[in-house]
Amino acid sequence: MQGSEPIGLVVGIDVGTTKCVIAYGPAASAAYVADLVPNEMSNLSTPSMCSFQGKQRFIGESATGLLGTNPKNTVPAIPRLLGLKPDDFQDPHAQFTVSADNGGGVVVEVAYKDAPLSLRPEHLLGMLLYRLVDLARNQVAGECVIQKCVIALPGPLYTAGVCKQVADAARIAGMPPPQVVPVHAASATCYNVKHEMKEEDAARTVMFVDIGSHYSSLCLYSQVKSLPPAPLCPPVLLNLGGEALVRRLWTCLAKDAEDKGAGPVKEGTRGGQRLLTECMKCVRTLSTVQVARVELECFGPHEKDLTLEISRDKFESLCAPEREVLKSSLLSVLEQSGVAPEDISQVELTGGATRTPWVRSLISSTVTDKLSYMLDSTSANAFGSVFLAQSLSVAKSNPEAPRAAVVTPPHVLDDVNCHVYMSEAEVESAIAMENAMQMEDAQQAQLSEARNNLEAYILEMRSACTRDEELALGASVLEAAEDWMYTEEGEGADLNLVHAKLAEVQSYMHNTFPSYFAHLAEERQKVEAELTAQAALAAEQAKHEEKDDHDTRKLAKPERMRLLKLNKDEGTELFKGKNLEAAILHWRKALAHAAKFFDLAPQDQEEVDDLKVALHLNIAMAYLKADVAEALSRVVTNCEEVLMLRPNNVKALFRRATALEKMKDYEGAKNDLMLAKPLEPDDTAITKLLERVEAQITRQVVKEKQMYGKMFG
């Protein structure tokens, strides 16, 4: 049957040094269609890192928490290892080991299953690509097959040698052979597809400036209607990005910390990494405020509590060398192209570092003040890659299909380094190792889920014991089960033993206290009936709502604002009526309208940002009330969106802390509450939550001491 045939997909992956973004679309489509793929935390970008701990490996989002606790076995920014010889890798903050294998190739040394393991960058990238493609497959209902893949690399990595490494990584990941393009080609394609020229437009000249974490690309394209965008000169490629700015700030604040009595702060240490993380946040904060503060508790060899301040002016002066490099590069693009600044239609900015105020002002003063953010930094390169993949797929299957013009991928650059490639035997060995690791991942995931289920049941019952006097008689059994988890037997228990322990505890509680569980079942039936009724009401309301999910109209600001506020107000009324799902739906539609404003004046943009903040806070509050595991991650995501716009928003800090507490990330919750407390010192809710979180942290410390005492006693 035709309905059972696999769905043909194309995927586009923006492989950034610190984060990757994947998008997908139908392979055979008469129009360009693409959607982003969220990861397990509902984030649209996934950290480019892997970590190894015991029998487990953590890829992408799950590895971020291990950078501070397991730095020697955590490899961040995997793509920066591509195209290097062993002696080329220079990162004083890196705590993992890079060395050479017997053939002279780059390898990363980690510990896996309590044994040393050497991994080539190709295999590490293959792990990351496998995870991203797996997310895309899970996004599609039904069986699917990936027919074409386009991978966008930072411009300086677009060399023959790195393209070969990426191809090997794709083989290890079980993907079809990818088409590799530089990010500026993907950006230009996305721009041309999403912003087609009007009939009255003769031509336009657009400069694309992409400044990522480690690399930058500057290029100038001429666009004529119905023709592919054409580069007017070779791109200027820089080994310069936001990471260099963060390091400037780190050097300054490390000296300030030492001057304030914290002792010397060294690169490649836990303290150094902790300060580096704070510097990354600080650079983002300085994009919106004039002065940023870094709070550090028990920091440095002398364990000092510090408050470090940095002004935007001071930060800009620290970045003077990078400013000069960027300025000369912009002038080089103009000189090579022969295009005068006044002939440039606009400068399209992508990459996180383009949000830095001095970067924007430098581009304005050197090139033109016609700066544009029509392309979304998160999605532009991934979407452009999908559009390129769709163009290649349809051109092959249906050459007569009408297509908008896309960029022709440029020739790869010559290699500066003499690469040591993986041999065919090494690639086959890496594929076998990856398959074995994936099987181990599945087994460990099942075991982890079983342990989480046991712990969750114990915590749920212990909480119930505080509200039910009869049930409290079973507290000793729960305590014993929790203690067992930290014994040698519990730590080494396999899946069957953990399942047996959970069944044992459940059997005791249900057989000993049957009346409690009968009452609990009745309450759950009532809640399920209410949720079913709410879902039916939401579905009925959706039938009568304005169909504007795919609204691509360029509406004037007053009309777009009317639609935004209409959805916002309707969401608020639904929330008051405890119809959470429908309320969230309306607030999301309001956010969709907020993303469709264009050419806003600064004061208008501020108004839109305020509305975005209110909407994300509302959605976070609704998900908190849902109080289920999958909703809590969405609370965190929406609060993070608020904090990107308003770093000192107390509601966002408090709601994220509340969600993190429920997710058992007590340290993360405490960090947010420590930031919120000075902003609202009289808020009793913050104080109470902080006390509760600190009590949980103390309890964890006691449990760890008991565990280690049993291990070494």
Side-chain angles (χ1 to χ4, degrees), residues 25 83 109 128 175 217 223 278 333 367 406 411 427 430 448 455 499 511 532 594 605 656 687 707:
E109 308 286 351
L128 185 59
M175 296 167 54
S217 301
Q223 296 185 304
E278 293 300 321
V333 172
V367 183
V406 298
H411 294 294
V427 173
S448 179
E455 185 178 21
H499 280 159
N511 292 334
T532 301
Q605 186 63 58
R656 185 168 70 175
T687 303
M707 179 183 69

Side-chain angles (χ1 to χ4, degrees), residues 169-226:
R171 282 187 62 193
I172 295 169
M175 296 167 54
Q179 167 81 55
V180 183
V181 300
V183 290
H184 47 269
S187 295
T189 293
C190 182
Y191 183 88
N192 203 49
V193 170
K194 285 183 167 287
H195 307 287
E196 286 193 76
M197 298 181 67
K198 300 176 182 177
E199 292 294 340
E200 61 270 20
D201 294 335
R204 61 187 175 197
T205 302
V206 182
M207 178 181 283
F208 293 91
V209 177
D210 180 277
I211 306 178
S213 176
H214 289 72
Y215 304 104
S216 299
S217 301
L218 292 71
C219 56
L220 203 58
Y221 276 89
S222 172
Q223 296 185 304
V224 179
K225 189 170 179 63
S226 300

Side-chain angles (χ1 to χ4, degrees), residues 488-546:
E488 184 175 350
E489 180 188 14
E491 288 288 338
D494 61 13
L495 185 63
N496 292 331
L497 187 53
V498 175
H499 280 159
K501 177 58 71 171
L502 175 59
E504 175 190 326
V505 176
Q506 288 177 328
S507 175
Y508 171 82
M509 297 299 292
H510 281 75
N511 292 334
T512 308
F513 310 104
S515 59
Y516 170 81
F517 290 98
H519 175 71
L520 190 64
E522 292 177 6
E523 291 297 317
R524 283 178 177 166
Q525 288 178 353
K526 291 180 182 178
V527 172
E528 287 175 3
E530 291 176 3
L531 290 174
T532 301
Q534 286 185 7
L537 179 60
E540 183 64 28
Q541 289 173 339
K543 294 178 183 178
H544 305 290
E545 289 170 355
E546 183 181 359

Side-chain angles (χ1 to χ4, degrees), residues 332-497:
S332 177
V333 172
L334 296 176
E335 181 181 355
Q336 291 184 65
S337 65
V339 176
E342 58 269 20
D343 294 330
I344 294 177
S345 305
Q346 62 192 61
V347 179
E348 194 64 38
L349 303 176
T350 57
T354 57
R355 300 189 186 98
T356 307
W358 71 256
V359 172
R360 296 198 299 266
S361 65
L362 177 64
I363 296 171
S364 296
S365 61
T366 306
V367 183
T368 177
D369 60 0
K370 300 173 185 176
L371 305 186
S372 170
Y373 293 91
M374 294 177 73
L375 292 181
D376 175 61
S377 286
T378 300
S379 63
N381 295 328
F383 278 169
S385 299
V386 169
F387 300 153
L388 282 165
Q390 288 174 328
S391 177
L392 294 168
S393 296
V394 173
K396 183 177 180 180
S397 62
N398 184 10
E400 302 301 322
R403 306 293 288 171
V406 298
V407 172
T408 301
H411 294 294
V412 294
L413 304 173
D414 293 332
D415 284 304
V416 177
N417 285 329
C418 179
H419 290 279
V420 178
Y421 301 122
M422 294 181 76
S423 66
E424 182 64 23
E426 287 174 324
V427 173
E428 291 294 338
S429 176
I431 292 172
M433 183 190 299
E434 176 62 22
N435 290 337
M437 285 181 163
Q438 290 173 18
M439 292 180 62
E440 185 66 44
D441 290 344
Q443 294 173 5
Q444 290 299 315
Q446 290 178 335
L447 179 58
S448 179
E449 182 180 10
R451 291 184 64 87
N452 287 339
N453 290 339
L454 174 57
E455 185 178 21
Y457 184 79
I458 292 170
L459 291 175
E460 179 187 356
M461 289 296 98
R462 289 185 63 171
S463 177
C465 286
T466 62
R467 303 187 300 270
D468 188 292
E469 291 184 2
E470 181 186 2
L471 198 65
L473 298 174
S476 60
V477 173
L478 299 171
E479 184 77 28
E482 186 175 19
D483 289 341
W484 173 85
M485 294 184 69
Y486 297 97
T487 63
E488 184 175 350
E489 180 188 14
E491 288 288 338
D494 61 13
L495 185 63
N496 292 331
L497 187 53

